[in-house]
Amino acid sequence: MEKEVHEQYEYARRRLRQKKVLYFHFVLFLLGSLFLFIANKFFGFGEGTTQNWCIWGITIWLFIFILHFIKVYITDRFMNKKWEREQIDRLVALQQKRISQLESKINDDTENKI
């Protein structure tokens, strides 16, 4: 029972750290986007270009943030340690079933030869 409690604690700690890093990424995205916008509009960075470069930078950063969000709230939520254990147990059961079938086939073949 103590091992199970420890695993639950470690899972909760890991999820909390993931969410904390995601929130930090969000704040960094907001501040960075603001900085890029101000640098473009008020300080004249990129005046020689015809395109609005800060919008492209913010869009790419937003896409990366969305991927991070999906990883934390969707992928890791469903594909956690419990899911891994269930998949491993299922695969081991299939392997054992296949081994027992092969053993019974070998036994049947040896009995038929005798």
Side-chain angles (χ1 to χ4, degrees):
M1 184 68 175
E2 194 171 304
K3 181 182 176 185
E4 186 176 310
V5 172
H6 180 70
E7 286 179 2
Q8 289 174 347
Y9 172 77
E10 287 297 320
Y11 174 74
R13 190 174 63 83
R14 188 173 57 251
R15 288 288 296 158
L16 182 64
R17 186 175 186 295
Q18 285 178 338
K19 290 179 182 181
K20 185 177 176 182
V21 170
L22 179 69
Y23 297 149
F24 178 76
H25 188 182
F26 179 70
V27 170
L28 190 65
F29 167 71
L30 290 178
L31 294 176
S33 298
L34 182 65
F35 173 76
L36 290 176
F37 181 76
I38 290 172
N40 187 39
K41 292 294 181 189
F42 299 114
F43 294 116
F45 288 114
E47 283 183 356
T49 62
T50 58
Q51 294 182 353
N52 205 355
W53 64 271
C54 74
I55 299 299
W56 283 103
I58 292 170
T59 304
I60 291 169
W61 200 348
L62 177 65
F63 178 72
I64 292 169
F65 175 74
I66 290 171
L67 289 176
H68 189 182
F69 179 86
I70 289 170
K71 181 184 181 304
V72 170
Y73 280 102
I74 297 173
T75 306
D76 285 351
R77 188 176 190 184
F78 296 111
M79 294 183 181
N80 54 20
K81 288 287 186 185
K82 181 181 176 186
W83 179 83
E84 287 178 15
R85 279 191 213 121
E86 289 173 357
Q87 295 301 313
I88 289 171
D89 291 343
R90 185 180 64 84
L91 291 173
V92 167
L94 285 173
Q95 289 174 347
Q96 289 174 346
K97 180 181 176 185
R98 181 68 179 149
I99 288 171
S100 65
Q101 287 175 346
L102 289 173
E103 286 176 348
S104 66
K105 184 177 179 182
I106 290 171
N107 290 338
D108 290 344
D109 288 345
T110 56
E111 287 177 5
N112 290 338
K113 288 183 180 181
I114 296 179

